[in-house]
Amino acid sequence: MMADALALPPLRGTLERGGSLADFIWFRTGGPAEVLVRPADVEDLAAFLKELDPSVPVLPVGVGSNLIVRDGGVPGVVVRLPKAMQKVSVEPGNRVRAGGAAMGISVASAARDAGIAGLEFLRGIPGTVGGAVRMNAGAYGRDTSDILVEVTVVLRNGSVETWPAGRLGYSYRHSELPQGAVVVEALFEGTPGDPAAIGAEMDRIAAEREASQPLRSRTGGSTFKNPDGHKAWELVDRAGCRGLRRGDAQVSEKHCNFLLNLGEANSADIEQLGEDVRRRVKADSGVDLEWEIQRIGVAK
């Protein structure tokens, strides 16, 4: 890491060299960002990226609910959007507009209150709109690509563009958003519905998550993608990995597709435990599990 060497353009928001990521990443592990940037608004971010040396990598991070930050930290600039970009508003045509920093539950709740159905599944996604749009997050039979109309992004060169959903090249848990692009706003569309019925479905999703997932633990959400024709957790369980440990990193006994930090694990422990699981599943069923959690930064 070369924090002192990186020349940085002016910013109205805050800029922190060696900014901690472990303070907010769900696993509570990992090294610092070379530079952690919190822009004041879209214009501030766009101006900063336009002037930033094009060779410097840029990585947007939301709440880190699906992230392993390696112990050596993250070179370049990590962008966290400010609270000002958490706004959610309802528009005609059963549409909901949300800032990139808004949480899934905020979008689902606004849709419920407006009688807009189809966005309930966002209640079950514990991340930001930006993260959901980038990775085509989904739950309970629906994906972000099912409801997205358009997205506003600040590209790595500082240009601000609004793209129709079709331009994102969506597939399962994947989009073709370019490297360094930051999602600053998204427009979603549902269908007319009864607020009471929508609320009941959101409550059902919340109760199901509480019953089946280790929500009160230091975790990173779903670890592996579901392979075609399989559920990842079933393959992990069948390979004898439920409760498997490496130091203080553990495969959740409650839901085998979740890894846990029991307290003193570092990111290397967690990532290596995931690789242990992948090897065991491959040996048991012949299936190559793909990581769903994004792993970023450099090993120590």
Side-chain angles (χ1 to χ4, degrees), residues 1-166:
M1 309 270 294
M2 38 182 193
D4 294 335
L6 199 53
L8 298 167
L11 186 81
R12 285 185 285 112
T14 65
L15 188 152
E16 186 183 359
R17 293 180 187 266
S20 172
L21 302 177
D23 283 350
F24 64 89
I25 295 297
W26 274 32
F27 276 123
R28 294 293 189 265
T29 63
E34 184 172 355
V35 181
L36 181 57
V37 163
R38 293 182 176 88
D41 49 37
V42 175
E43 293 72 26
D44 193 26
L45 175 62
F48 177 83
L49 292 182
K50 184 179 180 184
E51 296 302 321
L52 182 66
D53 182 330
S55 69
V56 176
V58 171
L59 181 80
V61 171
V63 291
S65 57
N66 203 233
L67 212 54
I68 293 173
V69 177
R70 294 186 174 116
D71 299 305
V74 182
V77 169
V78 173
V79 175
R80 275 203 95 191
L81 299 180
K83 284 194 168 63
M85 291 164 74
Q86 293 177 352
K87 292 193 180 79
V88 178
S89 58
V90 173
E91 299 188 356
N94 301 299
R95 291 181 165 189
V96 180
R97 187 176 296 277
M103 296 294 289
I105 187 173
S106 303
V107 180
S109 299
R112 174 199 62 208
D113 295 348
I116 300 171
L119 279 64
E120 297 90 341
F121 74 97
L122 292 173
R123 172 67 181 84
I125 295 174
T128 61
V129 163
V133 167
R134 174 170 284 281
M135 71 171 285
N136 195 16
Y140 305 96
R142 303 214 78 195
D143 295 325
T144 302
S145 55
D146 295 331
I147 57 170
L148 185 69
V149 177
E150 64 183 30
V151 61
T152 302
V153 292
V154 180
L155 298 177
R156 176 60 188 83
N157 63 7
S159 63
V160 182
E161 297 185 5
T162 299
W163 291 9

Side-chain angles (χ1 to χ4, degrees), residues 67-298:
L67 212 54
I68 293 173
V69 177
R70 294 186 174 116
D71 299 305
V74 182
V77 169
V78 173
V79 175
R80 275 203 95 191
L81 299 180
K83 284 194 168 63
M85 291 164 74
Q86 293 177 352
K87 292 193 180 79
V88 178
S89 58
V90 173
E91 299 188 356
N94 301 299
R95 291 181 165 189
V96 180
R97 187 176 296 277
M103 296 294 289
I105 187 173
S106 303
V107 180
S109 299
R112 174 199 62 208
D113 295 348
I116 300 171
L119 279 64
E120 297 90 341
F121 74 97
L122 292 173
R123 172 67 181 84
I125 295 174
T128 61
V129 163
V133 167
R134 174 170 284 281
M135 71 171 285
N136 195 16
Y140 305 96
R142 303 214 78 195
D143 295 325
T144 302
S145 55
D146 295 331
I147 57 170
L148 185 69
V149 177
E150 64 183 30
V151 61
T152 302
V153 292
V154 180
L155 298 177
R156 176 60 188 83
N157 63 7
S159 63
V160 182
E161 297 185 5
T162 299
W163 291 9
R167 190 168 165 187
L168 272 66
Y170 273 136
S171 56
Y172 175 62
R173 302 293 172 264
H174 175 78
S175 76
E176 290 174 7
L177 264 180
Q179 202 71 33
V182 183
V183 174
V184 292
E185 191 176 84
L187 182 63
F188 301 110
E189 186 176 312
T191 54
D194 169 49
I198 295 165
E201 173 63 4
M202 285 172 60
D203 290 345
R204 184 193 71 76
I205 287 170
E208 192 172 313
R209 284 188 72 230
E210 181 71 45
S212 65
Q213 298 176 11
L215 301 182
R216 300 177 196 287
S217 309
R218 295 179 180 185
T219 183
S222 294
T223 307
F224 303 110
K225 298 177 182 179
N226 288 324
D228 283 346
H230 298 280
K231 285 194 160 52
W233 77 264
E234 289 177 345
L235 294 170
V236 173
D237 200 15
R238 203 178 89 185
C241 297
R242 185 184 292 266
L244 186 67
R245 283 181 67 164
R246 181 183 274 262
D248 253 7
Q250 182 186 42
V251 176
S252 170
E253 294 179 344
K254 190 172 188 180
H255 191 312
C256 310
N257 200 23
F258 284 66
L259 302 182
L260 309 178
N261 173 7
L262 299 179
E264 300 300 320
N266 59 26
S267 293
D269 295 331
I270 296 166
E271 186 170 4
Q272 285 162 14
L273 176 62
E275 291 297 340
D276 291 344
V277 170
R278 292 183 68 238
R279 276 192 294 274
R280 290 190 182 209
V281 168
K282 175 72 171 173
D284 177 69
S285 62
V287 176
D288 277 313
L289 284 181
E290 277 185 59
W291 285 90
E292 181 169 320
I293 288 182
Q294 195 184 358
R295 294 155 298 143
I296 62 171
V298 294

